[in-house]
C-alpha cells in the first residue's frame, strides 16, 4: 500500500484561527481524503507552533501566563479541526515533551556534525515574521513583508547555511518538481543563487523556547524548533520506528507563500546537514484578502471560519475556497463571490440535478432504484465521458490542482443535466415508456453516485448524505476504477431516501 504523508504548517498560537489557516488545513484535508480513496495509507499532520518572542509578548500583553495562553489558543485550533471536519491523524504541539526531545536531538545532531557554532548576531529581526532580514532586504525601515523590524545584537549560535548553497542548487536542479508552482521554484532558486549567509539559530534576549542543549542561556530559533515538528510527529528521533520508516520523507508540505523561504531553503538545508532525506514536494499556495483588503486585526476584517460555516455551511465554505482560485494564486474572499459560487455551482447545478432525479425516482418508481432495460448509445456516451472525466479529476487532484479538479466535477454534473434534458424522462413517463424511463433514471442515479464519490474529498458531508440516501456508507467510497466507474453499483432492492435540500439557494441581498 502506498504511503502518503501530508502536512499543514503548524500555526502560531498568538491569535485565533482565521480563514487563511482554514484554507491550508482544508486543502490538506481534501488531499488526504483524496489519497485515502486512491487506496493509500495517509498520515495527515497539523498542529500549533507555540514558542518564540511573538507568542511570549502576546501572552504578556494579555497578562496571562504563557503556558496557559498557548494551551487555550491551541485548543481553538484543535476545535477548528473538528468543526472543519479535518481528518488529521495527529495534532502536534511544539510545547509537548516529545517534540522538545525531538528538537533537542535534532540540534545535537547538527552540533555533532559540525554544523552549528557560537558567535554573535547583529542585524534586523521581525517579531511578527519571526525572521531575520539582511540589510539590503529592508525597505523604508520595514521587512519585505511590511512588518516592523528591530535591531538585535546578542550572542547566538549559527547554522552553517552558506555551506549548503551549492548542494541546495543541485537539489533544486535535480528535482524541478520539488517546489510548485514553478514561479515559487524560480523564486527560491534565485534567492539561493544570490548567496546564502550562515543563519542565526538561537536567541538569548527572551526565554520562551526550547533550551539549547548544553547552554541554557539560549533558546532555539523558533523556526528550527518548528520545522522539526514534521519529524517529531512520526517518531523522530527514533528513525527506526515503524511510523518514521513508513512516512519519512513527507510527500507534501503545503504552506502559504509567506513561509516559502523557511520550507524551501532552511528546511532542506537542515535536513541535508542532519543527513536525513528531503521531502518530496513543497506546494506554496497564494494569499487571501478579504473584500480586497489585507486581513488584519486593526482593520477589523479578520474572517472567523466558524462564522462562515454557521452562516453558509461547511461544504459550501470548503468548496468555495478550493474552487474559487487556482491553488498557488491569490484570492479575494468576499460575500458576493461566495454567494455567487454557491448559487451557480451548488444550488443551481448540483443541487438541482439531485432534486429532480430523486423526485422522478420517487414519483415513478416509489423511490425504488430502477433497473436498466434498453441501453442505447446515449447511455454509453454519457458513461464513457464520465469515465474519462474521472481520470482527469484524479490527475488534477493528485497534482493539488483543486480548482481544476472541481471544475471537472461541475462539468460532469452539467453533462448529466444535459443528458436528462435530452432524454426528457418526464415525457417518457407521460408516454408510459417505462423501459426507457427506468434506463434513463438508473443512468442518472449511477452518475450522481459517481459525483457523490468525487465530491467527498472537498464536500464530505454532502457526499455522505447522497451516498446514504442511495444505500451506502463511507466504507464503499473508492476511486479504484472497478468501484467508481461501475455503472451497476446501486442495488435494485434499495428505496432512495428523500434528502433535505443539500444546497439551498442564497438570497444575494442578505448582509
Ligand atoms: O507561519 N491567506 O504560522 P502562521 C492564505 N508558525 N493563507 C494564509 C493566510 C492568508 N491570508 N494567513 C495565514 C507560521 N495563512 C509558522 C509556520 S511551519 C513549520 C511554521 C496560512 O500562524 C498559510 O498556510 O503565521 C500560512 O503559511 C500560514 O497560515 C501561516 O500561519
Amino acid at each position: 500500500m502506498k504511503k502518503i504523508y501530508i502536512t499543514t504548517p503548524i500555526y502560531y498560537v498568538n491569535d485565533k484561527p482565521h480563514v487563511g489557516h482554514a484554507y491550508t488545513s482544508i486543502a490538506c484535508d481534501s488531499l488526504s481524503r483524496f489519497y485515502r480513496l486512491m487506496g493509500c495509507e495517509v498520515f495527515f499532520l497539523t498542529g500549533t507552533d507555540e514558542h518564540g518572542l511573538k507568542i511570549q509578548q502576546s501572552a504578556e500583553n494579555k497578562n496571562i501566563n504563557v503556558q496557559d495562553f498557548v494551551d487555550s489558543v491551541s485548543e481553538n485550533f484543535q476545535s477548528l479541526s473538528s468543526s472543519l471536519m479535518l481528518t488529521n491523524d495527529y495534532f502536534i504541539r511544539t510545547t509537548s515533551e516529545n517534540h522538545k526531545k525531538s528538537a533537542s536531538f535534532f540540534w545535537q545532531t547538527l552540533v555533532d556534525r559540525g554544523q552549528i557554532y557560537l558567535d554573535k548576531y547583529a542585524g534586523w529581526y521581525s517579531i511578527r515574521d519571526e525572521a531575520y532580514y539582511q540589510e539590503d532586504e529592508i525597505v523604508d525601515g520595514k521587512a519585505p513583508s511590511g512588518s516592523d523590524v528591530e535591531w538585535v545584537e546578542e550572542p547566538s549560535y549559527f547554522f552553517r547555511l552558506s555551506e549548503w548553497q551549492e548542494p541546495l542548487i543541485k537539489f533544486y536542479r535535480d528535482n524541478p518538481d520539488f517546489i510548485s508552482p514553478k514561479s515559487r521554484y524560480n523564486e527560491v532558486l534565485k534567492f539561493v543563487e544570490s548567496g546564502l549567509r550562515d543563519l542565526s539559530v538561537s536567541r538569548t534576549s527572551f526565554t520562551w523556547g526550547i533550551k539549547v542543549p548544553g547552554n541554557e542561556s539560549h533558546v532555539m530559533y523558533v523556526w528550527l524548533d518548528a520545522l522539526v515538528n514534521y519529524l517529531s510527529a512520526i517518531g523522530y528521533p527514533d528513525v527506526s520506528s515503524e511510523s518514521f520508516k513508513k512516512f519519512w520523507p513527507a510527500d507534501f508540505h503545503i504552506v502559504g507563500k509567506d513561509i516559502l523561504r523557511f520550507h524551501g531553503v532552511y528546511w532542506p538545508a537542515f535536513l541535508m546537514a542532519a543527513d536525513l532525506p528531503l521531502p518530496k514536494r513543497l506546494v506554496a499556495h497564494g494569499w487571501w484578502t478579504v473584500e480586497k483588503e489585507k486581513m488584519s486585526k486593526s482593520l477589523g476584517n479578520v474572517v472567523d471560519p466558524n462564522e462562515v460555516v454557521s452562516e453558509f455551511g461547511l461544504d459550501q465554505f470548503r468548496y468555495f475556497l478550493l474552487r474559487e482560485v487556482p491553488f498557488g494564486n491569490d484570492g479575494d474572499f468576499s460575500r458576493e463571490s461566495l454567494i455567487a459560487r454557491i448559487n451557480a455551482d451548488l444550488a443551481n447545478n448540483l443541487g438541482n440535478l439531485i432534486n429532480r432525479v430523486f423526485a422522478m425516482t420517487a414519483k415513478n418508481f416509489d423511490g425504488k432504484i430502477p433497473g436498466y432495460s434498453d441501453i442505447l448509445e446515449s447511455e454509453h456516451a454519457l458513461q464513457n465521458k464520465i469515465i474519462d472525466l474521472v481520470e482527469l479529476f484524479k490527475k488534477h487532484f493528485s497534482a493539488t490542482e483543486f480548482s481544476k479538479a472541481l471544475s471537472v466535477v461541475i462539468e460532469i454534473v452539467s453533462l448529466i443535466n444535459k443528458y436528462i434534458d435530452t432524454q426528457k424522462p418526464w415525457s417518457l413517463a407521460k408516454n408510459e415508456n417505462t423501459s426507457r424511463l427506468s434506463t434513463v433514471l438508473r443512468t442518472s442515479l449511477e452518475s450522481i453516485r459517481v459525483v457523490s464519490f468525487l465530491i467527498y474529498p472537498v464536500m464530505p458531508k454532502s457526499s455522505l448524505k447522497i451516498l446514504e440516501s442511495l444505500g451506502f456508507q463511507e466504507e464503499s467510497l473508492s476511486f479504484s476504477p472497478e468501484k467508481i466507474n461501475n455503472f451497476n453499483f446501486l442495488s435494485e432492492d434499495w428505496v432512495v431516501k428523500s434528502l433535505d435540500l443539500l444546497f439551498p439557494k442564497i438570497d444575494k441581498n442578505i448582509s
Side-chain angles (χ1 to χ4, degrees):
M1 203 191 222
K2 195 165 175 226
K3 316 281 184 263
I4 298 274
Y5 181 20
I6 298 170
T7 70
T8 72
I10 49 169
Y11 305 113
Y12 286 128
V13 288
N14 57 310
D15 216 332
K16 286 193 307 201
H18 59 62
V19 71
H21 306 119
Y23 180 52
T24 323
S25 292
I26 287 169
C28 290
D29 181 62
S30 299
L31 195 63
S32 301
R33 289 173 184 269
F34 169 81
Y35 273 110
R36 289 195 198 100
L37 294 202
M38 291 295 283
C40 301
E41 185 178 351
V42 173
F43 191 86
F44 165 26
L45 176 68
T46 188
T48 41
D49 186 354
E50 306 187 9
H51 291 125
L53 188 51
K54 171 156 78 171
I55 287 161
Q56 181 176 319
Q57 287 184 346
S58 299
E60 283 166 0
N61 289 342
K62 292 194 158 65
N63 248 324
I64 308 177
N65 164 285
V66 192
Q67 187 63 52
D68 293 342
F69 176 68
V70 299
D71 285 348
S72 88
V73 184
S74 177
E75 183 55 44
N76 289 336
F77 278 92
Q78 292 177 61
S79 73
L80 184 69
S81 285
S82 63
S83 51
L84 297 177
M85 280 180 74
L86 304 186
T87 53
N88 53 298
D89 296 280
Y90 190 60
F91 189 99
I92 189 157
R93 297 187 55 189
T94 54
T95 51
S96 68
E97 285 312 311
N98 277 352
H99 172 74
K100 287 190 207 164
K101 269 191 212 135
S102 164
S104 304
F105 189 92
F106 190 83
W107 176 283
Q108 194 56 49
T109 305
L110 295 181
V111 171
D112 295 347
R113 297 175 67 85
Q115 292 294 324
I116 284 181
Y117 62 93
L118 185 59
D119 203 339
K120 216 173 139 191
Y121 179 75
W124 297 106
Y125 191 80
S126 155
I127 301 175
R128 195 170 91 186
D129 301 350
E130 294 286 18
Y132 299 93
Y133 290 107
Q134 308 290 350
E135 188 68 53
D136 57 9
E137 290 180 290
I138 304 298
V139 189
D140 299 333
K142 302 247 183 205
S145 58
S147 304
D148 290 336
V149 287
E150 57 172 32
W151 186 258
V152 170
E153 277 190 35
E154 61 187 359
S156 173
Y157 285 95
F158 281 79
F159 168 69
R160 296 188 192 281
L161 182 61
S162 57
E163 283 188 5
W164 296 97
Q165 179 174 352
E166 288 312 317
L168 280 171
I169 293 172
K170 182 174 183 327
F171 173 72
Y172 303 139
R173 296 214 186 278
D174 292 346
N175 298 276
D177 295 329
F178 172 57
I179 301 172
S180 63
K182 202 77 210 159
S183 53
R184 302 286 166 217
Y185 170 91
N186 292 334
E187 196 179 310
V188 167
L189 184 60
K190 209 168 126 205
F191 173 74
V192 175
E193 279 175 343
S194 73
L196 293 177
R197 292 196 210 171
D198 289 353
L199 179 72
S200 164
V201 285
S202 75
R203 304 287 313 262
T204 44
S205 49
F206 64 93
T207 52
W208 186 246
I210 302 178
K211 302 242 176 310
V212 163
N215 189 348
E216 303 223 329
S217 58
H218 290 248
V219 291
M220 283 181 208
Y221 173 38
V222 64
W223 269 100
L224 174 55
D225 158 358
L227 287 161
V228 175
N229 93 86
Y230 302 132
L231 302 175
S232 317
I234 50 168
Y236 186 84
D238 184 0
V239 290
S240 55
S241 68
E242 204 187 310
S243 56
F244 193 85
K245 284 198 301 198
K246 221 189 231 183
F247 291 110
W248 193 258
D251 295 273
F252 291 96
H253 285 321
I254 300 204
V255 300
K257 65 180 185 182
D258 56 322
I259 52 176
L260 183 64
R261 188 181 293 184
F262 304 97
H263 286 81
V265 182
Y266 302 165
W267 184 223
F270 291 156
L271 288 166
M272 282 180 186
D275 198 25
L276 286 166
L278 305 200
K280 292 188 200 144
R281 288 195 59 180
L282 170 62
V283 185
H285 64 65
W287 210 244
W288 285 95
T289 49
V290 171
E291 310 282 354
K292 300 275 194 293
E293 301 256 27
K294 196 175 163 182
M295 222 184 326
S296 88
K297 235 179 158 175
S298 49
L299 286 175
N301 64 349
V302 178
V303 178
D304 177 345
N306 286 313
E307 283 173 14
V308 185
V309 169
S310 64
E311 186 173 356
F312 296 98
L314 175 62
D315 282 358
Q316 287 86 337
F317 177 54
R318 292 175 57 119
Y319 178 81
F320 172 78
L321 290 177
L322 296 190
R323 174 68 187 93
E324 192 65 6
V325 288
F327 209 56
N329 291 15
D330 294 340
D332 185 51
F333 192 93
S334 73
R335 288 181 72 83
E336 199 186 332
S337 45
L338 178 62
I339 294 172
R341 185 57 80 182
I342 293 172
N343 285 348
D345 291 2
L346 301 181
N348 295 347
N349 207 0
L350 176 56
N352 184 35
L353 168 71
I354 295 166
N355 288 344
R356 59 183 186 155
V357 173
F358 280 25
M360 283 188 281
T361 309
K363 187 169 165 206
N364 295 292
F365 297 98
D366 292 330
K368 211 160 166 234
I369 307 236
Y372 292 108
S373 34
D374 49 349
I375 300 185
L376 306 178
E377 182 46 34
S378 45
E379 282 70 47
H380 286 305
L382 178 68
Q383 291 182 6
N384 290 337
K385 272 194 208 142
I386 291 179
I387 291 169
D388 287 349
L389 288 171
V390 165
E391 275 317 297
L392 188 61
F393 168 91
K394 289 188 204 171
K395 192 177 140 240
H396 289 320
F397 219 106
S398 54
T400 70
E401 293 172 341
F402 306 113
S403 181
K404 282 190 187 164
L406 291 170
S407 73
V408 170
V409 177
I410 296 303
E411 194 179 334
I412 296 177
V413 172
S414 302
L415 278 177
I416 310 169
N417 270 323
K418 213 160 115 198
Y419 166 80
I420 296 169
D421 292 344
T422 318
Q423 298 306 317
K424 300 189 174 47
W426 48 90
S427 304
L428 297 171
K430 209 162 136 201
N431 300 334
E432 292 177 19
N433 186 347
T434 317
S435 67
R436 275 303 290 159
L437 178 63
S438 55
T439 301
V440 169
L441 287 183
R442 175 61 179 271
T443 304
S444 307
L445 285 164
E446 289 286 0
S447 305
I448 288 174
R449 195 262 320 148
V450 174
V451 171
S452 76
F453 280 32
L454 294 179
I455 64 172
Y456 172 80
V458 176
M459 296 191 283
K461 268 175 113 169
S462 312
S463 162
L464 293 174
K465 277 190 195 158
I466 302 167
L467 206 64
E468 207 185 295
S469 73
L470 292 172
F472 295 92
Q473 304 291 323
E474 195 160 359
E475 300 72 59
S476 323
L477 287 163
S478 162
F479 287 152
S480 79
E482 311 80 69
K483 294 253 175 72
I484 187 162
N485 296 339
N486 174 4
F487 281 80
N488 271 306
F489 197 91
L490 302 174
S491 158
E492 282 157 36
D493 296 331
W494 185 258
V495 176
V496 178
K497 288 197 206 139
S498 66
L499 267 179
D500 288 341
L501 206 54
L502 280 181
F503 306 109
K505 199 162 170 168
I506 296 162
D507 181 354
K508 275 201 191 104
N509 300 319
I510 60 167
S511 60

